[in-house]
Amino acid sequence: MAKILVVDDDQNILNLLKFSLSRAGHTPILCIDGETGLIEAQAQKPDLVIADVMMPKMHGYQFCKKLRFLPETKNTPVIMFSARFQPIDRQTALDAGASDYLPKVISNEELLKRIDELLPQDSGEAVNELLGFMSLRGGTGVSTLAVNVSIALAGALKIQPALVDLKPIGGHLALMLGLRPITNVSKLFAEEEISIEHINNCFVPHSSGIRLLASVNRYNKNILPSTPQTASLAQTLQDEFPFSIFDLPSTILEHESDELLKKFTKILLVLSPDMPSLQSTVLAVQGLVQHGVARKNIMLVVNQVMPYGALPVEDVQNALRMPITATIPFEPDMVKSLNNRTPLLFSSPRSKAAGAIARLANTLRG
């Protein structure tokens, strides 16, 4: 089964969890403080961590933050397990990088069930990737990255990824690709069911191999899709395509979108290195977690949209308490590529920004 690191200064709790985890078929690794826990985490590479809050030398929140900066445990599920259970305690744990916060009065059955839910599921089969690109702040280049990453994936994998412009009105993906679609997502969402046949009829092909579902290009408040429709679309695409990329609206967290957001295998939060974007990204992470998105599925991408005045990437990472997946350098030709309706990977394939986007696509390929 799984290797589970347990960090608690209460020997009775350690003994109890050792018995429960061993009986369930897991291998418990026991530590009495956070410093020892960090050493064991690096050495043992556990599949999941359970940590107390009130401990000597280092409290549980500090321990969790340090885990997130270790390459071995940056994506490892972490359960904060505490006798304290006020709303502020849970939120502090989530802000520190915990996957969940559970009270010590919880039953063994409930704890083991939550452990099973958080452990990575290995079905032995490759999982089709469903990628969401988003930001709560405009001007960070979300759509530009979604387009260029899609092109990089199409070129590297020799596949035809699905690219969905889920901006409710006036999305720019078709414009960026130099396409003039005669159909869009409104036609798809007018159907009674979302089937692959209906989706194929609404796709707009691009020479790169991308198949685009374009955004609506006219205002009509009655054509906005419902969350069940978008969730059905996401599921159907994931069943059919190795990679599906969604350009998500900045308002996605304002709706009851749990059903949709939890389907994404990865959500790429795009931010620019400035204070307003940092603030928006902190809120976005909190919102995604509260919508049921696993923190390990959230990836941060810093996009240098200005030539100077940017915050150092190290400061950005320290402020967000999460690792940065990719940094895209400022590219003077980016605006030119947008105006020419030719994606950067075609117009300036040797630029530093194009190289960084290609490396990001390789990261997403696993």
Side-chain angles (χ1 to χ4, degrees):
M1 295 288 280
K3 288 194 297 183
I4 298 180
L5 175 64
V6 182
V7 185
D8 200 306
D9 64 329
D10 188 328
Q11 191 61 51
N12 291 328
I13 294 293
L14 288 177
N15 292 338
L16 177 63
L17 290 178
K18 178 181 179 181
F19 175 78
S20 299
L21 294 171
S22 298
R23 188 176 182 182
H26 300 299
T27 301
I29 306 163
L30 308 180
C31 297
I32 61 171
D33 60 65
E35 291 182 357
T36 308
L38 290 174
I39 294 172
E40 288 298 313
Q42 290 177 287
Q44 300 285 346
K45 299 180 178 63
D47 300 299
L48 183 138
V49 177
I50 300 174
D52 188 19
V53 172
M54 303 304 295
M55 297 187 294
K57 299 184 180 180
M58 181 189 306
H59 60 64
Y61 304 134
Q62 292 172 317
F63 172 68
C64 190
K65 291 176 186 177
K66 290 180 181 294
L67 283 178
R68 290 302 177 224
F69 280 99
L70 294 176
E72 298 86 353
T73 55
K74 67 179 183 179
N75 294 322
T76 303
V78 177
I79 296 176
M80 300 299 293
F81 198 52
S82 177
R84 299 173 49 168
F85 202 73
Q86 296 299 319
I88 186 61
D89 299 318
R90 184 176 191 277
Q91 188 58 56
T92 303
L94 296 177
D95 290 344
S99 308
D100 206 346
Y101 187 93
L102 300 177
K104 288 185 175 180
V105 296
I106 195 173
S107 68
N108 284 338
E109 291 76 14
E110 290 176 295
L111 176 60
L112 291 172
K113 179 182 178 182
R114 188 63 181 128
I115 288 172
D116 287 341
E117 291 172 346
L118 289 173
L119 283 171
Q121 302 299 312
D122 185 7
S123 63
E125 298 179 357
V127 177
N128 288 344
E129 295 284 355
L130 196 65
L131 310 176
F133 284 69
M134 65 168 288
S135 175
L136 293 190
R137 183 170 185 257
T140 58
V142 175
S143 299
T144 302
L145 288 180
V147 164
N148 283 283
V149 166
S150 299
I151 289 173
L153 288 171
L157 299 178
K158 307 303 180 185
I159 60 170
Q160 294 183 315
L163 177 60
V164 181
D165 196 334
L166 210 60
K167 301 293 175 65
I169 296 172
H172 303 310
L173 299 191
L175 181 69
M176 292 177 176
L177 288 166
L179 297 173
R180 298 181 182 276
I182 59 173
T183 185
N184 53 57
V185 293
S186 66
K187 177 182 177 181
L188 177 63
F189 291 131
E191 301 287 349
E192 293 184 2
E193 63 173 346
I194 307 296
S195 67
I196 188 59
E197 290 78 14
H198 292 142
I199 294 173
N200 284 331
N201 288 334
C202 295
F203 272 138
V204 183
H206 184 260
S207 59
S208 65
I210 292 172
R211 285 181 275 190
L212 173 69
L213 280 177
S215 171
V216 179
N217 56 9
R218 60 186 178 85
Y219 179 75
N220 184 339
K221 66 180 181 180
N222 297 318
I223 60 176
L224 301 183
S226 65
T227 297
Q229 285 178 309
T230 54
S232 177
L233 169 62
Q235 186 62 64
T236 304
L237 289 176
Q238 187 178 28
D239 291 342
E240 297 290 334
F241 294 92
F243 281 89
S244 300
I245 297 95
F246 279 64
D247 186 3
L248 298 172
S250 59
T251 57
I252 189 73
L253 298 180
E254 299 174 17
H255 307 288
E256 293 298 324
S257 53
D258 297 30
E259 184 182 359
L260 171 63
L261 289 172
K262 287 191 289 188
K263 289 185 181 298
F264 288 102
T265 53
K266 298 181 182 70
I267 291 184
L268 287 87
L269 270 180
V270 182
L271 64 145
S272 52
D274 56 70
M275 291 304 296
S277 190
L278 273 182
Q279 181 185 50
S280 296
T281 304
V282 170
L283 294 174
V285 171
Q286 292 174 352
L288 288 169
V289 171
Q290 291 184 26
H291 276 278
V293 177
R295 190 178 286 264
K296 65 183 178 66
N297 293 340
I298 302 172
M299 306 176 74
L300 301 182
V301 178
V302 176
N303 192 17
Q304 304 266 12
V305 295
M306 299 296 290
Y308 51 83
L311 294 172
V313 174
E314 294 79 8
D315 292 352
V316 173
Q317 180 168 274
N318 290 334
L320 295 173
R321 301 169 185 169
M322 290 176 65
I324 303 298
T325 299
T327 300
I328 313 300
F330 174 74
E331 177 50 60
D333 287 342
M334 188 67 78
V335 173
K336 181 179 178 181
S337 73
L338 295 175
N339 290 337
N340 290 339
R341 303 175 65 177
T342 303
L344 185 73
L345 264 69
F346 289 151
S347 63
S348 301
R350 297 183 181 276
S351 65
K352 291 182 178 179
I357 292 170
R359 289 191 294 274
L360 173 58
N362 285 331
T363 300
L364 296 173
R365 289 169 55 192

